[in-house]
Amino acid sequence: MAITQANGAVRESRPRRRHAEGPAAVLAIGTANPSGTIVPQDEFADQFFRMSNCDHLADLKGKLNRICKKTGIEKRHFHLTEEVLLAHPEFLDRELPSLDARIDMVATAVPKLAESAALKAIAEWGCPATDITHLVFSTYSGCRAPSADLELARLLNLRPTVSRTILSLHGCYGGGRALQLAKELAENNCGARVLVACAEITLVCFAGPDGSNLVGHALFGDGAGPFTGGEHPLFEMVSATQTTIPRTEHALGMQVAGGGIDFHLAIQVPSLIGQNVEQCLLGAFRASLGDDANDLTWNDMFWAVHPGGRPILDNIESVLKLGPKKLTSSQNVLHEYGNMSGATIVFVLDDLRRRREEEGEFPEWGALLAFVPGITVETMVLRSPPRSVKEN
Ligand SMILES: CC(C)(COP(=O)(O)OP(=O)(O)OC[C@H]1O[C@@H](n2cnc3c(N)ncnc32)[C@H](O)[C@@H]1OP(=O)(O)O)[C@@H](O)C(=O)NCCC(=O)NCCSC(=O)CC(=O)O
């Protein structure tokens, strides 16, 4: 932004931005997973303990097996392969410095994964990549500058003036946060076309088993999911809010250390989310729809819930008294891919729009929910636009 001095006053030299009419919309969605390894969940504990040379820790292995059975996950994709681990035994030991080697690997792998997904979204959108005006990239692997956003812009040949933002360490709500930012950018810059890229590779968090990291190992997987705003809206993003649950800042967190990124997931996370989610939703819907919100019940809506873990989905289903199929997209994504942190919500929206195409009947209003260290609940009110003549 150029600032010029005129008549002693500070004045912007650029033309005033025009606001877009109506809410921003998701126009196209693409997803991708790394080609490295696909691990069936029922084989994960055996494979992980063998690769970590920890088969002698039978109690821990037994516990990981018990946890894996309860995750609701069928398989997960990983960039990390056994060959890479053999070449980098330091990845197994949190006490050994390994952050540099991890960052070197993800600096290439994360934008590449995002590129695979972005190419699908751009193809669906049907416009040249050079029409993209803004890029918002969310990843917990963005530990250097320039970062994955610049590399993705280069890989996609985006215009040199593309306006880039990187969100780092936002964890599971990276997707929701990036979408909210894209919404603000699109609504405040008429004609903006925002590429939102979320890409997560667990390589930066990987470690050998210990008593405190089993749940993370059982839960997280790798994936990427860009969206663009499109000419035929898939979902309108009507409003977005964040609510932090008081005194829960120690329940969920990530910490970058010399031996990689540590996750902390307190056992109370699913119940804390269950106890607070309805209040967050009521606030978001009343603020967005006013009295019209009173005519809606939770079962009248479609749901895009970040599948942070099976009990989180179970608690939300039970607290909101949702019908049996309301969380199918979230359950399905958890089952097929595990928790891919910020990228997961893109997979959920992709699954939802596929169901909408197959089923025909679809609610007008929906809610997107994601959870973040804090604990903060990210809520977005979504609207499924009426189907156009072209789509019908
Ligand atoms: C681990 C689970 C699959 C276990 O399922 P259940 O809770 O139904 O089963 P259960 O109660 O019998 O527990 C099985 C065993 O796991 C242990 N256990 C459960 N939760 C634990 C936790 N958070 N930390 C350590 N251990 C835990 C129990 O003590 C028990 O041990 P034993 O067998 O020895 O008695 C589930 O609780 C789960 O998915 N939790 C993760 C939820 C979560 O925090 N997700 C992240 C959301 S935010 C996010 O997505 C992160 C981000 O920001 O990226």
Side-chain angles (χ1 to χ4, degrees):
M1 178 170 83
I3 306 283
T4 56
Q5 196 83 18
N7 301 327
V10 176
R11 183 165 70 81
E12 288 188 23
S13 66
R14 63 174 185 191
R16 280 185 58 201
R17 284 182 178 156
R18 285 184 302 125
H19 291 258
E21 283 173 22
V26 176
L27 305 176
I29 301 176
T31 64
N33 300 92
S35 52
T37 329
I38 301 176
V39 184
Q41 189 78 340
D42 59 2
E43 294 172 18
F44 179 77
D46 282 346
Q47 193 167 319
F48 174 51
F49 274 71
R50 180 180 52 72
M51 280 167 57
S52 313
N53 305 316
C54 287
D55 271 329
H56 57 288
L57 302 175
D59 285 355
L60 274 189
K61 187 166 148 185
K63 178 157 177 161
L64 182 59
N65 256 319
R66 283 199 299 284
I67 290 174
C68 280
K69 285 194 177 80
K70 299 206 157 183
T71 52
I73 297 170
E74 171 76 16
K75 60 175 169 49
R76 287 175 289 160
H77 296 248
F78 296 102
H79 174 80
L80 184 64
T81 59
E82 197 159 355
E83 294 73 49
V84 172
L85 199 52
L86 282 171
H88 291 276
E90 72 274 19
F91 289 178
L92 288 166
D93 187 347
R94 279 265 184 258
E95 299 303 315
L96 296 176
S98 61
L99 192 60
D100 286 356
R102 293 173 196 254
I103 289 175
D104 275 348
M105 286 181 197
V106 294
T108 313
V110 164
K112 275 303 267 180
L113 185 59
E115 181 199 16
S116 313
L119 289 173
K120 293 178 196 167
I122 292 167
E124 181 186 339
W125 178 36
C127 298
T130 43
D131 284 3
I132 291 167
T133 55
H134 298 73
L135 168 62
V136 181
F137 199 125
S138 175
T139 179
Y140 55 62
S141 299
C143 301
R144 65 160 58 144
S147 195
D149 56 327
L150 180 60
E151 180 57 9
L152 180 63
R154 191 189 67 76
L155 289 168
L156 296 174
N157 282 319
L158 301 188
R159 54 167 93 155
T161 54
V162 71
S163 174
R164 293 179 283 111
T165 306
I166 183 127
L167 304 176
S168 195
L169 284 184
H170 279 61
C172 296
Y173 86 140
R177 204 84 290 268
L179 265 188
Q180 173 164 8
L181 186 53
K183 170 178 164 58
E184 303 293 339
L185 289 167
E187 290 174 4
N188 287 290
N189 297 275
C190 191
R193 292 293 178 265
V194 187
L195 175 65
V196 173
C198 308
E200 309 290 13
I201 289 189
T202 48
L203 169 67
V204 281
C205 323
F206 183 85
D210 67 36
S212 67
N213 66 10
L214 296 182
V215 174
H217 274 301
L219 203 57
F220 293 111
D222 301 350
F227 313 80
T228 53
E231 309 317 313
H232 303 287
L234 298 175
F235 297 104
E236 284 175 9
M237 300 182 280
V238 179
S239 67
T241 52
Q242 264 194 348
T243 311
T244 302
I245 305 171
R247 296 176 297 282
T248 57
E249 52 272 37
H250 302 297
L252 192 58
M254 282 180 277
Q255 171 78 43
V256 183
I261 296 180
D262 269 331
F263 268 90
H264 168 62
L265 308 170
I267 202 159
Q268 299 83 2
V269 169
S271 55
L272 284 168
I273 291 172
Q275 286 155 18
N276 289 279
V277 72
E278 188 160 28
Q279 207 49 43
C280 301
L281 283 161
L282 284 171
F285 273 83
R286 283 186 187 138
S288 179
L289 302 185
D291 288 343
D292 288 349
N294 298 333
D295 299 333
L296 274 178
T297 73
W298 302 135
N299 274 301
D300 292 333
M301 295 167 25
F302 64 92
W303 291 87
V305 180
H306 167 66
R310 186 198 39 77
I312 295 178
L313 295 180
D314 291 351
N315 287 353
I316 291 174
E317 194 171 52
S318 139
V319 165
L320 302 180
K321 301 185 178 59
L322 295 179
K325 292 198 171 163
K326 283 289 166 185
L327 297 186
T328 300
S329 289
S330 302
Q331 287 153 344
N332 205 27
V333 170
L334 184 67
H335 186 260
E336 292 301 310
Y337 304 100
N339 178 345
M340 297 166 287
S341 231
T344 326
I345 199 68
V346 188
F347 284 71
V348 174
L349 286 173
D350 197 26
D351 190 275
L352 266 175
R353 60 92 172 247
R354 225 175 291 125
R355 278 170 204 282
R356 177 176 59 188
E357 279 155 25
E358 283 163 16
E359 291 167 13
E361 290 258 311
F362 200 75
E364 178 180 5
W365 295 100
L368 180 152
L369 284 170
F371 320 103
V372 52
I375 295 174
T376 302
V377 180
E378 179 98 29
T379 312
M380 188 174 267
V381 176
L382 298 174
R383 183 170 170 266
S384 170
R387 302 176 88 200
S388 67
V389 176
K390 183 176 169 236
E391 284 167 310
N392 289 324

